[in-house]
Amino acid sequence: MPALDPGRTALVLVDLMERIVALPLAPRSGTDVVAAATRLAETFRAAGAPVVHIRVERPNVDAQPPGSALVPSLVHDGDLIVVKRTIGGFHATGLHELLAERSVSTVVLGGIATNLGVESTARAACDLGYAPVFAEDAMTAFTADEHHASVSLDFPRLGTVATVCEITLDGPR
């Protein structure tokens, strides 16, 4: 995979919230996904590329369930946080506007669950003209079969599937 342009690429991490990371997941645990996402976020920050965290909030409730915060070790000063109330990260969140303001044309996606929040966000990204790259080892699902179906059947039709180690940026912008 060729190196990505840090001036046109953003890392978008979906639903890496304490309560979601703690769920029984497959083919890898939530803590393994957080470790991979952390490595990827460090690469993006070092290159001056945006890191975006998307978290879900339940609409029309007084308080969110315990564990609804993003995993604290993932979020650093300068990162962007988007709140969604649907499965995907673009609908009525301002994500598209944040990315457009930064001239982003490529989004690298990771998070939980592969076949739900990540895939829904990716499909909307494609509809909006972004080129998605899927960090396969920085995502997981509720079952290995769901994860593998998205990664092997759907994602190759939408963009590029790669591992965290294969995703590089040209350098600081």
Side-chain angles (χ1 to χ4, degrees):
M1 162 162 206
L4 301 169
D5 177 355
R8 310 265 307 149
T9 306
L11 175 61
V12 178
L13 300 171
V14 180
D15 293 339
L16 294 180
M17 301 159 47
E18 294 169 325
R19 67 183 166 85
I20 294 174
V21 167
L23 294 169
L25 302 163
R28 57 189 58 86
S29 70
T31 54
D32 287 346
V33 169
V34 168
T38 298
R39 289 192 306 275
L40 201 50
E42 289 168 356
T43 298
F44 273 68
R45 291 184 196 108
V51 175
V52 181
H53 304 275
I54 299 173
R55 68 179 178 82
V56 67
E57 282 188 359
R58 294 180 181 168
N60 306 316
V61 297
D62 291 334
Q64 297 301 310
S68 290
L70 293 163
V71 172
S73 64
L74 271 175
V75 182
H76 288 231
D77 288 342
D79 290 358
L80 304 168
I81 298 174
V82 171
V83 175
K84 66 180 179 129
R85 290 175 181 82
T86 60
I87 294 174
F90 279 99
H91 179 73
T93 64
L95 176 59
H96 177 56
E97 292 76 13
L98 287 173
L99 297 175
E101 288 169 6
R102 290 159 178 80
S103 301
V104 169
S105 58
T106 300
V107 290
V108 176
L109 294 155
I112 301 170
T114 307
N115 60 310
L116 296 170
V118 176
E119 187 167 332
S120 181
T121 301
R123 288 176 183 275
C126 287
D127 288 345
L128 292 166
Y130 296 97
V133 175
F134 300 95
E136 188 278 332
D137 51 343
M139 59 181 76
T140 195
F142 297 107
T143 69
D145 286 345
E146 290 169 317
H147 173 82
H148 292 306
S150 289
V151 169
S152 63
L153 299 175
D154 299 331
F155 291 171
R157 293 180 173 127
L158 301 175
T160 303
V161 178
T163 64
V164 167
C165 291
E166 293 170 328
I167 299 169
T168 59
L169 298 163
D170 279 332
R173 54 182 217 176

